[in-house]
Every structure is written in structure tokens, then in C-alpha cells.
């Protein structure tokens, strides 16, 4: 399941990179993950009243949080895939359940 999801993110990311002329070298995966974490933090700050809402309604702020969370998931899966990490196995070992 996670491997299939990672493949879907990979396909989408590859197309995006081609369209925008982005080189996805090994560093890019970690740097992009860090960038997305910043965006998730910013969305959380806005939703929780710690940042300017920029004229957005609460439901829009909640959607931004959901979107940034989805980006984080995608980039975690891309990072793991790029580095040969079997996330399902790691979850089993670390969290003691089978995803």
C-alpha cells in the first residue's frame, strides 16, 4: 500500500519537475521535505491564531493545513523511496504494527 502510494507521488513529482525544469538530485528530496515542514508550520500558525490569516476564513485555513499535511506525506514517501527505505517494514519495527 505505501509503495503504491509512493509510486503515485513519484509520478506526479516527476511530471512537475519536468514541467518546471527542476532537478531532483539527492539533496532535493530532503530540502523539499524541510520546505514543506515550514509550510505546514505556517498553516498551523495561521489556523491556531499565531499567524496572520491573510483574509482567509477558518475553513480555508483548515484546508490549507490539510493541503500542507498532504504535501508532507508525499515528500516523506518520496524521500523514503529515493533512499531505498521500506517504510512499511520500518513502521512494523518502530511502531510495532503492520500498516
Amino acid at each position: 500500500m505505501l509503495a503504491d502510494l509512493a509510486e503515485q507521488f513519484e509520478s506526479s513529482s516527476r511530471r512537475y519537475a519536468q514541467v518546471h525544469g527542476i532537478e531532483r538530485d539527492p539533496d532535493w528530496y530532503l530540502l523539499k521535505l524541510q520546505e514543506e515542514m515550514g509550510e505546514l508550520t505556517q498553516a498551523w500558525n495561521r489556523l491556531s491564531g499565531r499567524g496572520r490569516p491573510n483574509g482567509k476564513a477558518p475553513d480555508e485555513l483548515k484546508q490549507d493545513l490539510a493541503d500542507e499535511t498532504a504535501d508532507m506525506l508525499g515528500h516523506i514517501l518520496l524521500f523514503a523511496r529515493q533512499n531505498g527505505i521500506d517504510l512499511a517494514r520500518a513502521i512494523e519495527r518502530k511502531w510495532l504494527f503492520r500498516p
Side-chain angles (χ1 to χ4, degrees):
M1 177 186 129
L2 287 177
D4 293 338
L5 191 56
E7 284 303 318
Q8 290 176 299
F9 277 106
E10 169 58 27
S11 177
S12 182
S13 177
R14 186 182 325 106
R15 280 191 312 272
Y16 182 88
Q18 287 171 343
V19 167
H20 297 284
I22 297 169
E23 179 186 349
R24 298 181 313 150
D25 63 10
D27 286 344
W28 179 87
Y29 292 89
L30 183 60
L31 294 171
K32 191 65 178 170
L33 187 57
Q34 183 65 38
E35 176 187 339
E36 295 301 338
M37 185 62 201
E39 291 175 8
L40 178 61
T41 302
Q42 183 179 51
W44 174 253
N45 283 344
R46 287 179 177 157
L47 181 64
S48 66
R50 293 179 184 96
R52 294 174 302 181
N54 294 339
K56 291 187 174 184
D59 60 326
E60 292 174 300
L61 295 173
K62 185 73 171 179
Q63 183 174 334
D64 288 348
L65 185 67
D67 291 350
E68 296 306 332
T69 302
D71 283 350
M72 281 297 298
L73 175 62
H75 284 285
I76 286 169
L77 291 171
L78 289 170
F79 179 81
R81 184 183 179 283
Q82 170 67 21
N83 289 286
I85 297 168
D86 182 341
L87 276 181
R89 199 165 86 189
I91 290 168
E92 255 183 83
R93 183 181 62 253
K94 182 74 176 173
W95 287 82
L96 305 176
F97 71 88
R98 179 172 287 164

